[in-house]
Amino acid sequence: MPNIKSAKKRVLVSATKTEANKSAKTALKTAIKKAEAAISANASDKEELVRLAVKDIDQAAAAGILHKNNAARKKSALVCKLNKAG
C-alpha cells in the first residue's frame, strides 16, 4: 500500500477506471455475441443488431477501451459474416 497521498489517490482512481472499462468491455462482448448469434440463426433483425454492435465498437474505440485497429478488425469480421449470411 502506498504512503504518499498522490499514490493513494492513483490507486483509487485506477480501481474506478478499471471497473468502468471492465463493464464497458463486457457490454461490448455481449453486443457482438448477440449480433453473431442473430447472423447464425438468420434472424430478421440481424442487420439492426450488427449496426448496434458496430456502433458500440466505435464508441469503445473512441473511449480508448479498444485500439482503433482492433475495432476495425472486429467491425470488418462482423460485416463479413453478415454479408456471407446473405
Side-chain angles (χ1 to χ4, degrees), residues 18-36 49 52-60 65-66 74 78:
T18 299
E19 194 63 35
N21 288 341
K22 189 176 183 182
S23 174
K25 279 185 180 181
T26 303
L28 176 65
K29 288 178 187 177
T30 303
I32 291 172
K33 284 180 185 177
K34 281 184 182 178
E36 288 177 344
L49 288 172
L52 290 174
V54 167
K55 180 180 176 184
D56 288 344
I57 292 169
D58 283 335
Q59 287 176 338
I65 295 167
L66 288 180
K74 288 182 186 299
L78 261 181

Side-chain angles (χ1 to χ4, degrees), residues 34-36 38-39 42-55 78-79 81-83 85-86:
K34 281 184 182 178
E36 288 177 344
I39 291 170
N42 203 15
S44 59
D45 61 342
K46 62 184 173 187
E47 290 88 2
E48 178 68 16
L49 288 172
V50 169
R51 189 183 65 76
L52 290 174
V54 167
K55 180 180 176 184
L78 261 181
V79 173
K81 287 180 185 177
L82 179 64
N83 288 340

